Amino acid sequence: MIRRLVLVFALALAACTHPGDVDHVRFASDRTFVRATTQAGEVRGVEGAGVRAFLGVPYAAPPLGELRWRSPRPGEPWAGVRDATRLGSDCIQAIGRDAVLGGGGGIVVGSEDCLVLNVYAPARSEAALPVMVFLHGGAFTIGAGANYDPSRLAAEQGRVVVTVNFRLGALGWLAHLEFAAEGDGVGGNWGLMDQQAALRWLQANIAAFGGDPGDVTLFGESSGAWSACYLMASPQSDGLFHRVILQSGPCLEPHSLNPAAIEAVKGMAFAEGLGCEAWDVACLRALPAWRIARAPSPRSGINGPGSWGPVHSDGIVPESPPTAFAAGRFVRVPVIVGTTADEARLFATEVRSLDRYERQTRWLYGEAGESALALYPVGEGGPGVAIARSFTDSRFACPSDALRRVLAAHVPVYGYEFADPEPPFVVPDAIMGIDMGAYHASELASVFGTSWLFTDTGRWTPEQRALSDRMMRLWAGFGHDPGFEAEWAQVSDGGGPVRVFNPAGDRMDHGFFERRNCAFWGGTALGPVTQ
């Protein structure tokens, strides 16, 4: 079902202009230019409307030519003052119905010269501020840090907020046996290496922008949260962040757990599919980037067959995250793990008949298909809502519950479910063919307090705006607010409680495991891997 991600999603991403925060700052009536000095040189940003922004700042050398499919290298210093008032290029990506999920084709946008980050901070601060670093979603194939507007979060919560670009698709996640001869292992984790390089750059430079390198919260959504989850299992991440927020990215989901050695063999098939000899990575490096971006994936991942994403059992992630977490061999920091109430409605818009629902369910769940049909009958919402419920529970809710349990044996853990029943979706339900509810990524506008691709915050009710205020305060207050524990109880090793965010009022739910049928999904081959 996830392969049938709605076409409007891909088209909207392709047409998406970057959010209005840049223009809001650049053309503010009180606009001024500001400077900061990094280890590579001086940058000029812009300040206005209570925010200062430094945009398109390089954190590594462009991964071009011989640096394609190599670990990120330090960038070259520059003379003079580098302009940081404009967004840098998105990392190269193919936009299209199948391309988004690794199926090939699509319209190629962006550039390989893309390893940049954007820094937002309050206009005035005398003390070093806590830092929040966001990793974007997009199935490891699309997206950019520039698609999100953290200016309100920065200004109102007194935080330095950073958004990051990292390599995507085959350029970010290809593994190949021949890469091992070059000193970086078989690959498959170039995107993770980029993220770690960005975090190391911040350790060395964020103080120049008013941030405290000893106080970093890493947060991500969807594949960005999957990335953060893998980063927790990487020894090289030690000291790079001090707490983690995982939004709809439970990396115990079995489809996303892929050993590097197995995926490296598939990399040889990828080379042959592009007309190169199986072992000839020099041939791959000589190909134009657009051809690589449009090539289908031969491997599996979070979207099933034909996906991209990180691997484990290599030099970056030495063992499977479930194994690392169960044994306590991970970066031990406090964690928030959450999901949305209706994650999969975004992916279920084409399931509009009973026959389609039954066939799709049997295909998705194999031997468990008949039981799933009985457990998730079609109700008033129609077949799309029914299949979305099963997919939400099996791929998001229950893996997240399992992740909370396994981590809670070692570190403080907090759980949430975003359950706004009517976040203002920019496409009418009549076109989508389904009531979207609290769809996948619907919490992002509330976390940042600003509009993004799918959500128009101008249509928020007063209650939804108050919900956003609560979530921004809690995300920023994680690890800082002395009243946090009184407001948000820790998860026990029994899995609860979970805070349910709702415009009508939040509540602590002790029955998430039962409500989401996690006993059923844990008893199937599709259940979360916990060791």
Side-chain angles (χ1 to χ4, degrees):
M1 175 181 57
I2 199 167
R3 178 158 293 285
R4 290 163 174 81
L5 183 66
V6 290
L7 182 59
V8 67
F9 182 36
L11 293 178
L13 278 166
C16 177
T17 56
H18 292 308
D21 66 298
V22 179
D23 289 342
H24 178 67
V25 175
R26 286 172 60 197
F27 300 112
S29 59
D30 61 344
R31 182 198 67 175
T32 59
F33 293 106
V34 289
R35 293 187 179 187
T37 302
T38 74
Q39 291 184 345
E42 194 172 6
V43 291
R44 184 184 73 155
V46 63
E47 179 180 308
V51 180
R52 58 176 54 187
F54 295 85
L55 309 171
V57 181
Y59 65 82
L64 304 171
E66 287 301 307
L67 294 185
R68 181 187 286 177
W69 294 308
R70 294 186 189 273
S71 58
R73 306 302 202 252
E76 292 291 332
W78 57 83
V81 181
R82 183 186 180 100
D83 181 60
T85 65
R86 299 177 184 275
L87 294 164
S89 175
D90 297 353
C91 286
I92 196 165
Q93 52 198 272
I95 306 294
R97 184 190 185 99
D98 293 324
V100 167
L101 301 177
I107 300 170
V108 177
V109 298
S111 167
E112 284 189 274
D113 183 359
C114 65
L115 299 187
V116 299
L117 49 78
N118 308 301
V119 182
Y120 301 78
R124 295 287 182 267
S125 176
E126 295 182 1
L129 298 175
V131 180
M132 301 180 71
V133 182
F134 180 69
L135 302 179
H136 68 79
F140 298 107
T141 60
I142 57 174
N147 289 340
Y148 304 87
D149 174 2
S151 55
R152 185 178 169 212
L153 180 63
E156 294 187 7
Q157 301 301 321
R159 298 293 183 262
V160 176
V161 187
V162 182
T163 65
V164 181
N165 284 1
F166 45 88
R167 283 173 280 183
L168 302 168
L171 294 165
W173 309 105
L174 180 68
H176 192 289
L177 291 173
E178 189 66 12
F179 290 152
E182 302 173 343
D184 288 322
V186 298
N189 280 329
W190 313 110
L192 288 185
M193 296 181 200
D194 293 344
Q195 293 160 7
Q196 288 178 329
L199 289 164
R200 285 192 293 269
W201 187 94
L202 290 170
Q203 286 294 305
N205 292 282
I206 199 62
F209 300 89
D212 180 356
D215 189 350
V216 176
T217 297
L218 180 66
F219 68 125
E221 189 272 335
S222 193
S223 59
W226 248 282
S227 295
C229 200
Y230 268 72
L231 290 175
M232 290 176 64
S234 174
Q236 290 93 324
S237 297
D238 191 34
L240 298 181
F241 47 81
H242 308 93
R243 61 201 68 82
V244 174
I245 304 174
L246 304 175
Q247 300 173 213
S248 302
C251 69
L252 303 188
E253 199 281 323
H255 291 81
S256 66
L257 298 169
N258 297 288
I262 292 175
E263 302 311 321
V265 175
K266 297 176 186 177
M268 300 171 72
F270 180 83
E272 291 179 324
L274 283 168
C276 297
E277 296 292 332
W279 290 91
D280 194 351
V281 295
C283 173
L284 284 175
R285 286 198 173 100
L287 292 175
W290 66 265
R291 284 195 61 196
I292 294 167
R294 296 188 80 248
S297 170
R299 49 167 293 192
S300 60
I302 60 173
N303 302 320
S307 297
W308 294 109
V311 296
H312 63 78
S313 302
D314 73 329
I316 303 299
V317 185
E319 57 188 337
S320 171
T323 301
F325 295 154
R329 293 188 292 266
F330 64 96
V331 179
R332 294 198 188 191
V333 295
V335 186
I336 295 174
V337 180
T339 52
T340 70
D342 306 302
E343 297 272 9
R345 292 194 189 185
L346 186 63
F347 315 129
T349 59
E350 293 184 357
V351 180
R352 303 191 182 192
S353 69
L354 181 61
D355 176 67
R356 177 73 175 271
Y357 166 64
E358 292 176 346
R359 286 189 291 108
Q360 197 81 49
T361 299
R362 294 188 180 101
W363 176 80
L364 277 170
Y365 305 129
E367 293 181 358
E370 293 300 326
S371 297
L373 287 170
L375 190 60
Y376 297 90
V378 175
E380 187 175 321
V385 168
I387 201 167
R389 285 181 56 227
S390 69
F391 201 83
T392 295
D393 290 354
S394 64
R395 292 287 182 90
F396 291 97
C398 295
S400 292
D401 178 85
L403 181 58
R404 287 190 287 265
R405 291 168 185 261
V406 71
L407 291 175
H410 305 285
V411 297
V413 177
Y414 305 84
Y416 78 86
E417 180 180 74
F418 181 78
D420 182 350
E422 296 181 326
F425 196 69
V426 295
V427 182
D429 287 348
I431 294 177
M432 301 301 292
I434 188 175
D435 174 7
M436 296 305 293
Y439 59 89
H440 183 66
S442 59
E443 86 286 8
L444 282 171
S446 296
V447 168
F448 286 114
T450 48
S451 297
W452 80 292
L453 177 63
F454 285 150
T455 303
D456 176 11
T457 60
R459 292 163 47 197
W460 269 346
T461 65
E463 291 79 13
Q464 287 172 321
R465 186 163 293 279
L467 171 62
S468 174
D469 290 341
R470 290 197 300 278
M471 293 184 71
M472 285 196 297
R473 176 175 55 79
L474 287 167
W475 259 238
F478 181 35
H480 299 92
D481 184 350
F484 188 93
E485 288 282 354
E487 193 171 354
W488 195 340
Q490 282 189 36
V491 169
S492 70
D493 56 9
V498 169
R499 181 173 179 138
V500 179
F501 287 103
N502 192 299
D506 303 344
R507 64 184 178 88
M508 297 304 296
D509 176 20
H510 292 265
F512 185 91
F513 181 86
E514 293 76 19
R515 180 163 58 87
R516 288 300 183 177
N517 298 313
C518 293
F520 169 75
W521 292 112
T524 72
L526 303 166
V529 180
T530 55
Q531 60 182 356

